[in-house]
Amino acid sequence: MMDKLTKIFAKNFKFNESEQKVDVEKVLDETTVDGVVKYMKSGKCKNIVVMVGAGISTGAGIPDFRSPGSGLYDNLSKYKLPSPECMFDIGFFRV
């Protein structure tokens, strides 16, 4: 799987202009959460990028948009917003 992803990134982001095999340095001892944590703690990890889905904020208590009853669209008056887009306008939060 990682080899396939590496080739996709190399092609799309022009990391390697030729069709040669892309050399990848192995950085994880194991491809598990524990393996990633170990690498992050090793001091070799310089940057971390996390790709997540739209629902990650709901676990932190931030309401989603569509859920009946609890979603932002159903609770505009509770948040005193004239439209859902106002949630992203800092002017509504500076009073």
Side-chain angles (χ1 to χ4, degrees):
M1 179 68 170
M2 289 303 292
D3 192 43
K4 183 176 181 180
L5 288 174
T6 301
K7 288 178 183 176
I8 290 170
F9 274 92
K11 179 181 176 191
N12 291 329
F13 297 108
K14 311 238 185 287
F15 292 149
N16 187 357
E17 293 290 330
S18 69
E19 291 296 316
Q20 299 172 4
K21 180 172 175 26
V22 178
D23 292 326
V24 179
E25 176 188 354
K26 183 178 177 183
V27 294
L28 299 178
D29 293 332
E30 54 185 89
T31 55
T32 63
V33 172
D34 289 335
V36 173
V37 170
K38 183 178 175 183
Y39 176 64
M40 290 169 64
K41 289 181 174 181
S42 73
K44 297 176 187 175
C45 183
K46 303 281 189 258
N47 297 298
I48 299 170
V49 176
V50 179
M51 293 188 235
V52 297
I56 195 166
S57 56
T58 56
I62 299 169
D64 65 9
F65 285 86
R66 295 182 201 98
S67 292
S70 64
L72 183 61
Y73 293 147
D74 276 357
N75 291 289
L76 291 178
S77 62
K78 176 182 173 182
Y79 298 107
K80 299 181 176 113
L81 298 172
S83 70
E85 295 80 15
C86 294
M87 177 65 81
F88 305 104
D89 185 344
I90 194 65
F92 282 92
F93 297 97
R94 291 184 177 161
V95 177

